[in-house]
Amino acid sequence: MNILNVVFGLLCILIAFVVAARSTGLRDQFLWGAVIITGVGGIALPRLLPGDGTRLALIAISLAALLLLLQRQRKQQRQ
């Protein structure tokens, strides 16, 4: 496994923890969004698909989605 895949995967998990820490509880849509994005795009699919490039692309997409989710969560909490 490529070291970049590992670093991006750890970033996905870290951002998911940040989203979870800022959530209001188990009914928070941002919490479940982060769980699904991290679970499917950051962990499950990259393990099923062959090739480091494909895995890296999926993890990078998951990372971008998590950053967008974190930005929307911050925006909603400011209102």
Side-chain angles (χ1 to χ4, degrees):
M1 183 174 278
N2 191 350
I3 189 72
L4 199 54
N5 290 348
V6 174
V7 171
F8 277 3
L10 289 174
L11 277 173
C12 283
I13 292 171
L14 178 68
I15 293 172
F17 277 132
V18 170
V19 170
R22 297 175 65 118
S23 70
T24 57
L26 290 177
R27 294 180 185 236
D28 190 6
Q29 62 186 2
F30 295 109
L31 173 66
W32 290 108
V35 167
I36 291 170
I37 291 169
T38 304
V40 173
I43 297 172
L45 280 180
R47 289 182 180 234
L48 295 175
L49 297 174
D52 283 339
T54 306
R55 292 177 186 151
L56 182 61
L58 282 172
I59 293 171
I61 291 169
S62 298
L63 187 59
L66 282 169
L67 288 172
L68 181 66
L69 189 71
L70 183 63
Q71 180 183 13
R72 287 188 179 177
Q73 184 184 32
R74 285 182 184 170
K75 192 180 292 184
Q76 185 182 26
Q77 287 179 347
R78 285 185 194 155
Q79 294 176 353

